[in-house]
Amino acid sequence: MRRVSVGLRLLVQALFFFAALPLQYLAIRLGWRLAGWLPVYFHRLFLAMFGLRIAVNGRLARDVPVLVLANHVSWLDISVIGSLGPLSFVAKSEVERWPVVGLFARLQRTVFIDRARRAHTAEVNATVARRLAGGDIIVLFPEGTSSDGNRVLPFRSSLVGAARAALSASGAGTIQLQPLAITYTRRNGLPLTRRDRPEIAWYGDMDLAPHLAAFLAGGPFEARVTFGAPIPFDAATDRKRATAKAEAAVRRAFHAAVVPARPEGPNPKAMDKRDVALAVGAQP
């Protein structure tokens, strides 16, 4: 993209952000439903401005407490997943202190965890449990870090303990753990290869600014989001087994998108507003 074009698009995004900022603070403080939707509109605007297209398979479970377990590839995952509907993320505590990004995360009502403090996991589980009991959808990246875009890392089961805490907090008999696989499949209309995907992924010790500049210069791309079948989680469920089952579902969906099989039915399509609403089972 030309610098002038990129600058104008970033300006539009910034204007939307600063216009929505006081309203979002007020909505969060007063508990308005709008607090969940303003970040969705922000992410959708970002995707539209920079030509990012999403194909969605499956639907997010509704009307029950849902903890989404997703693989993690890049900072772009936040906008891709965040555009699907009102939801919040669990992120490492360092993110809260990052310039600009930390503010974005707080406005998304992110739950922060200090991974250096083992005791903090229990506190985060309790916070997530209260949010789930209140009807919020929480997205957790159980790999604990981001990958190079070519693989799914092993899932950690410790934070899935929030599901058990939510059983007590909500009085519900069952929590749903829903697997979500995100895969970056094309750029400038061409399939991404194993060599290409690490250029989109943000992992290891990469600096954010150069990665963001490369993204802006590289052209539009496509991502595929696949919701797996919800996994019921009740008081008798083994946490580690449930986490392993979710990991297996994410791996299957991820590798099916990386190396797609011959289609046997309708192909997923690029997502428009109706697709978004159907994916999360709600209308804005």
Side-chain angles (χ1 to χ4, degrees):
M1 297 182 186
R2 295 181 178 178
R3 290 185 179 181
V4 173
S5 176
V6 170
L8 289 174
R9 297 178 193 199
L10 291 176
L11 176 61
V12 171
Q13 194 77 34
L15 290 174
F16 177 91
F17 174 76
F18 286 112
L21 182 61
L23 183 58
Q24 180 68 357
Y25 269 122
L26 186 62
I28 291 174
R29 186 176 183 84
L30 298 179
W32 293 347
R33 185 170 175 263
L34 185 62
W37 280 104
L38 277 176
V40 177
Y41 299 141
F42 177 85
H43 292 307
R44 290 183 187 176
L45 176 62
F46 177 77
L47 298 182
M49 294 292 291
F50 291 96
L52 282 68
R53 296 172 65 82
I54 308 174
V56 179
N57 286 340
R59 296 186 183 184
L60 183 62
R62 301 294 299 181
D63 302 322
V64 291
V66 181
L67 181 64
V68 177
L69 306 183
N71 66 303
H72 194 16
V73 179
S74 172
W75 58 270
L76 292 166
D77 300 348
I78 304 301
S79 281
V80 171
I81 299 173
S83 70
L84 300 178
L87 46 79
S88 298
F89 297 89
V90 175
K92 58 185 180 181
S93 58
E94 297 96 302
V95 173
E96 188 175 14
R97 298 189 293 270
W98 290 354
V100 182
V101 175
L103 176 59
F104 288 167
R106 291 192 295 274
L107 293 176
Q108 183 96 37
R109 301 176 300 154
T110 297
V111 179
F112 298 101
I113 177 170
D114 185 349
R115 294 184 297 186
R117 294 170 50 208
R118 289 189 177 182
H120 198 232
T121 298
E123 297 174 24
V124 170
N125 283 348
T127 299
V128 172
R130 288 194 298 272
R131 296 279 297 275
L132 291 173
D136 288 350
I137 296 169
I138 304 293
V139 178
L140 173 66
F141 297 116
E143 292 166 298
T145 187
S146 53
S147 73
D148 64 0
N150 282 316
R151 56 188 175 140
V152 175
L153 302 175
F155 281 16
R156 302 177 182 180
S157 64
S158 56
L159 278 176
V160 180
R164 191 174 305 283
L167 293 174
S168 300
S170 66
T174 304
I175 300 296
Q176 299 295 330
L177 304 181
Q178 184 148 27
L180 184 156
I182 180 168
T183 313
Y184 296 93
T185 55
R186 290 178 175 269
R187 187 159 210 171
N188 293 312
L190 299 176
L192 290 170
T193 66
R194 288 186 62 86
R195 183 177 179 179
D196 299 325
R197 289 192 193 93
E199 296 178 5
I200 291 178
W202 184 52
Y203 63 103
D205 296 325
M206 287 183 175
D207 291 329
L208 179 59
H211 191 270
L212 178 59
F215 157 73
L216 295 174
F221 65 84
E222 298 177 20
R224 177 175 298 188
V225 172
T226 303
F227 289 105
I231 300 169
F233 189 100
D234 59 29
T237 302
D238 184 283
R239 183 187 69 194
K240 292 185 177 181
R241 288 185 179 180
T243 303
K245 187 174 181 180
E247 179 185 335
V250 170
R251 287 184 183 277
R252 286 194 299 270
F254 177 86
H255 289 296
V258 170
V259 186
R262 180 172 297 178
E264 297 179 355
N267 291 327
K269 59 182 180 179
M271 186 173 63
D272 58 22
K273 291 182 179 179
R274 177 175 173 81
D275 295 322
V276 174
L278 288 174
V280 299
Q283 294 286 348

